[in-house]
Amino acid sequence: MVSRVDITPAAAEMVQKLTARHGPLMFHQSGGCCDGSAPMCYPQGEFHLGEQDVLLGEIAGAPFYMSAFQFEYFRHTHLTIDLVAGRGASFSVEAPEGMRFLTRSRLFSDEELAELAKDSPTTSQGSTS
């Protein structure tokens, strides 16, 4: 099964650490449209999803969303969430750790796109896009 979003072991370990401290988490891809943009990590319920936010999948037990508008740019792209040293956005829960989540991307193969065409991602309100 092809996933739209995955996570590196280091990033997954940080998610587990943060979940122990903050409870269930969720990710929302920031407005950046390129490799290296920052996904934001929040305790579930502290970031209000819009009707057009798209659920791309789950990483390390946390749902991962982005806006439908941004998804149009990422539709053909696989995202891998990584962890790097440095300070990211101050609203993301990993910021005090001196680390930040980072989005790495690659284009899907034709075979992966064909498989993904069978499943439509859902918006935060449950409809497909």
Side-chain angles (χ1 to χ4, degrees), residues 11 14-15 17-18 21-22 25-27 37-43 81-102:
M14 178 61 75
V15 170
K17 178 180 179 180
L18 295 170
R21 184 174 304 142
H22 300 284
L25 301 173
M26 54 101 42
F27 283 87
S37 61
M40 301 292 289
C41 183
Y42 303 99
I81 306 310
D82 201 355
L83 184 72
V84 296
R87 208 138 149 104
S90 61
F91 296 112
S92 194
V93 295
E94 82 281 3
E97 304 294 323
M99 304 295 285
R100 69 184 186 101
F101 292 111
L102 179 84

Side-chain angles (χ1 to χ4, degrees), residues 29 34-39 64 79-82 101-105:
Q29 179 64 42
C34 56
D35 197 47
S37 61
F64 191 97
L79 306 179
T80 300
I81 306 310
D82 201 355
F101 292 111
L102 179 84
T103 301
R104 300 188 189 278
S105 58

